[in-house]
Amino acid sequence: MELLFKDLSAELKNRRIHPSYQRIKVLDYLNKNQCHPTVDQIFKDLQREIPTLSKSTIYNTLNLFLKSGLIKVINIENNDAHYDIITKNHGHFKCESCGKIFNFSIDLNTFTTEELSGFKIIDKNVYFKGICPRCL
Amino acid sequence: MELLFKDLSAELKNRRIHPSYQRIKVLDYLNKNQCHPTVDQIFKDLQREIPTLSKSTIYNTLNLFLKSGLIKVINIENNDAHYDIITKNHGHFKCESCGKIFNFSIDLNTFTTEELSGFKIIDKNVYFKGICPRCL
DNA sequence: TCGTTTTTTGTAATGATTATTAAATACTAT
DNA sequence: ATAGTATTTAATAATCATTACAAAAAACGA
């Protein structure tokens, strides 16, 4: 646990982010819960460990992580943003029945089109929607 | 104009949607403005032609069109939804500087992965973000 | 034409996100 | 260490897109 804390702290320092307790806890949560949690999910779970936690801190921290490129936001639906630790290339599938979001691996590097030759591409997202096997 | 009106009316009837004046106007607007307008843009522009128009009607109509598969919603950002008449397969590029959304053609049918073999895929979206040539 | 259903309109309610400000904490230099 | 400064957190208010709801208007059918 102490070692893990050091690792997370170092990861934040690399990104020029001061490793406060709350920030480390959020990063830890995102590492352990790679299930595309929403702000509410992160807040509710962490609040049990940190009773004084504020939802503003979650928003601040996530926006900070976003700007520094630590995480990605998934806007697969228009009501609630989901957050994702950046790992390898993968797409997201959202089940329209149960609402769960699934990963699937996809090589985003193959997506290049001459039409965007003059564009600077910073981020690529692939979103599928449909029904998952359990709901079918 | 009269003929066009009939065409739009027929298109709605095919989808079992009663072709009211407002609905035809919204469909007409989406056909003519394939620039991914937001609700506000549609509302403001059509309000000049239809002074009594309500924004609720825009929301109602767009949701109706969505359910019947006439249009698609683009959630490339979390603040404002954009709407798109369904044409051919294409992806969307959003410039993070000027906010404009560009189309680029991409064959979504090639995106199949064994990982999703048990899933029923209804909809595929490809969103890119970056900087457009004019802003570079 | 009357009664019923559908559509539109306007406003209120909801809910996620941001803005703001004060309290708490961490940091620096003497 | 300590005083002073900067940063971070917390709590609440404000914003804004979207939905819910109810009444007015329009369309429809017998």
Side-chain angles (χ1 to χ4, degrees):
Chain A
M1 184 62 185
E2 185 58 28
L3 182 65
L4 183 59
F5 236 73
K6 270 191 186 167
D7 288 347
L8 296 171
S9 184
E11 194 173 352
L12 290 177
K13 279 182 194 159
N14 282 343
R15 306 270 180 167
R16 311 289 165 105
I17 296 173
H18 183 82
S20 72
Y21 178 69
Q22 287 86 342
R23 286 169 182 166
I24 289 175
K25 280 308 222 177
V26 171
L27 184 59
D28 183 40
Y29 183 88
L30 290 172
N31 269 318
K32 286 178 181 161
N33 300 84
Q34 301 191 6
C35 54
H36 325 95
T38 62
V39 169
D40 264 337
Q41 288 174 278
I42 301 169
F43 173 64
K44 281 183 184 168
D45 287 347
L46 286 183
Q47 203 183 25
R48 272 184 277 132
E49 282 185 77
I50 314 164
T52 63
L53 187 64
S54 162
K55 196 180 274 188
S56 301
T57 301
I58 305 296
Y59 276 104
N60 286 339
T61 303
L62 291 174
N63 285 332
L64 195 65
F65 288 0
L66 265 180
K67 270 194 292 186
S68 71
L70 263 176
I71 61 174
K72 278 185 72 168
V73 62
I74 306 174
N75 288 320
I76 203 167
E77 53 194 343
N78 66 347
N79 47 345
D80 242 327
H82 296 251
Y83 293 88
D84 206 13
I85 276 275
I86 291 180
T87 52
K88 55 199 166 296
N89 280 339
H90 65 274
H92 293 113
F93 177 98
K94 183 185 179 201
C95 176
E96 291 181 341
S97 173
C98 66
K100 194 178 171 190
I101 295 176
F102 301 81
N103 288 340
F104 60 90
S105 49
I106 195 162
D107 186 8
L108 297 172
N109 295 324
T110 62
F111 301 142
T112 41
T113 164
E114 322 77 59
E115 287 178 59
L116 296 179
S117 58
F119 292 67
K120 182 186 176 192
I121 301 173
I122 295 173
D123 189 28
K124 298 179 181 180
N125 298 281
V126 176
Y127 296 153
F128 285 8
K129 290 179 189 174
I131 311 291
C132 75
R134 188 181 297 178
C135 290
L136 275 172
Chain B
M1 183 65 183
E2 185 58 30
L3 183 65
L4 185 58
F5 236 73
K6 271 191 187 168
D7 287 348
L8 296 170
S9 184
E11 195 173 351
L12 290 177
K13 277 182 195 161
N14 282 342
R15 304 272 180 165
R16 310 291 165 103
I17 297 173
H18 184 80
S20 72
Y21 179 69
Q22 287 87 342
R23 286 169 182 169
I24 288 173
K25 281 307 223 178
V26 171
L27 184 58
D28 182 41
Y29 183 90
L30 290 173
N31 269 318
K32 287 177 180 160
N33 301 84
Q34 301 192 5
C35 53
H36 327 94
T38 62
V39 168
D40 265 337
Q41 288 174 277
I42 302 170
F43 173 64
K44 280 182 186 169
D45 288 346
L46 286 183
Q47 202 183 26
R48 273 184 276 133
E49 283 184 77
I50 314 165
T52 62
L53 187 65
S54 163
K55 195 179 275 188
S56 299
T57 301
I58 306 296
Y59 277 104
N60 287 338
T61 304
L62 290 174
N63 284 332
L64 195 64
F65 288 179
L66 265 180
K67 269 194 291 184
S68 69
L70 263 174
I71 62 175
K72 277 185 75 169
V73 63
I74 305 174
N75 287 320
I76 203 167
E77 52 195 344
N78 66 348
N79 47 345
D80 242 329
H82 297 252
Y83 293 88
D84 206 13
I85 276 275
I86 291 181
T87 52
K88 55 199 166 295
N89 280 341
H90 65 275
H92 293 110
F93 177 98
K94 184 186 179 198
C95 176
E96 291 181 342
S97 172
C98 66
K100 195 177 169 192
I101 295 176
F102 301 80
N103 288 339
F104 59 90
S105 49
I106 196 163
D107 186 9
L108 298 172
N109 295 324
T110 61
F111 301 139
T112 40
T113 164
E114 323 75 59
E115 288 179 55
L116 297 178
S117 59
F119 292 67
K120 183 186 175 190
I121 300 173
I122 294 173
D123 189 28
K124 298 179 181 180
N125 298 281
V126 176
Y127 297 152
F128 285 8
K129 290 180 188 174
I131 313 290
C132 76
R134 187 181 299 179
C135 291
L136 274 172

